[in-house]
Amino acid sequence: MTNPDLDELLGQMPGQLPLAAQAEAQRMVNAAMPARLRQGRAPRARWVLPLVVSGGLILTAGASTAVITMSHWGGVSMPIENVRNNEPIPISWTTETGHVQSCRVWIELRNPPPNSAETLDTAITSRDWAGMGQELYDTTAPGVEDDSVGETRVGRGLDPVVRAFAAETFPGVGWLSEGVGTDQAAVDAWGFTCVPPSE
């Protein structure tokens, strides 16, 4: 799969992925691409072309499934030792056209302290999140041209909010790649989805 193929698949999705998910999908494509393709050389001799095309179709079908799964935060797999909040952070906003967008945020911890899931859920449910989504929508610069419901815009604004919330809930927690290869507790990933829970 090439970068334009990934862009086309992402463009066909019903809603834009958060920037963090788009970056991870791009990283996965780059990691999976053979070195000879990255260097601009032909993939193989002509007699291998039918095999390459067949493999490409299978890979493309799998990639689109992976992208769709990634857009549903509850369906994203994680390492067994990590924990994720069961109670999502609710965020919603109303666009200039009157469209109401309701989303949910998740946080995943690596090397979690004891009872981290319960601590995270309690911290989420005890905080009043009302108005946060609207504030982010109103104050964060628009993300991209085709962001009519504001998911990219709000996603950009959410990053410092999630980081501050994690640091407040777990003092000294690392952020993303900080502490990789150590026993330091860290936010391994975070994301949000606006797909209704029943889907």
Side-chain angles (χ1 to χ4, degrees):
M1 177 178 288
T2 63
N3 290 348
D5 292 336
L6 179 62
D7 290 342
E8 183 178 327
L9 281 173
L10 292 174
Q12 294 172 356
M13 294 180 60
Q16 290 290 330
L17 285 173
L19 292 176
Q22 289 181 22
E24 180 61 17
Q26 185 65 55
R27 186 194 66 72
M28 289 170 37
V29 167
N30 290 339
M33 185 182 298
R36 64 185 312 121
L37 289 178
R38 284 194 306 266
Q39 296 164 356
R41 297 192 318 230
R44 297 276 177 236
R46 278 184 200 238
W47 63 270
V48 182
L49 186 58
L51 295 175
V52 172
V53 170
S54 300
L57 291 174
I58 292 168
L59 178 61
T60 301
S64 62
T65 303
V67 169
I68 291 168
T69 302
M70 286 169 53
S71 69
H72 295 262
W73 72 272
V76 177
S77 64
M78 65 178 179
I80 196 161
E81 64 276 4
N82 286 15
V83 298
R84 180 184 293 153
N85 52 301
N86 294 311
E87 293 293 330
I89 298 172
I91 58 167
S92 62
W93 63 91
T94 304
T95 67
E96 291 92 351
T97 62
H99 172 78
V100 176
Q101 189 74 356
S102 296
C103 307
R104 297 166 321 283
V105 177
W106 57 267
I107 299 171
E108 180 183 317
L109 294 173
R110 175 179 71 244
N111 300 323
N115 303 316
S116 293
E118 295 83 2
T119 301
L120 190 52
D121 286 344
T122 300
I124 289 169
T125 56
S126 63
R127 179 173 290 202
D128 182 8
W129 298 97
M132 184 192 65
Q134 191 65 52
E135 181 181 342
L136 293 174
Y137 180 81
D138 292 340
T139 59
T140 306
V144 292
E145 279 185 36
D146 192 24
D147 188 30
S148 61
V149 296
E151 287 182 31
T152 302
R153 178 190 310 194
V154 171
R156 286 182 177 169
L158 267 172
D159 188 76
V161 171
V162 172
R163 187 171 188 162
F165 174 72
E168 178 186 311
T169 306
F170 301 100
V173 71
W175 184 252
L176 302 181
S177 62
E178 293 175 3
V180 169
T182 71
D183 290 335
Q184 179 187 4
V187 172
D188 215 9
W190 76 271
F192 78 108
T193 183
C194 300
V195 176
S198 59
E199 292 185 21

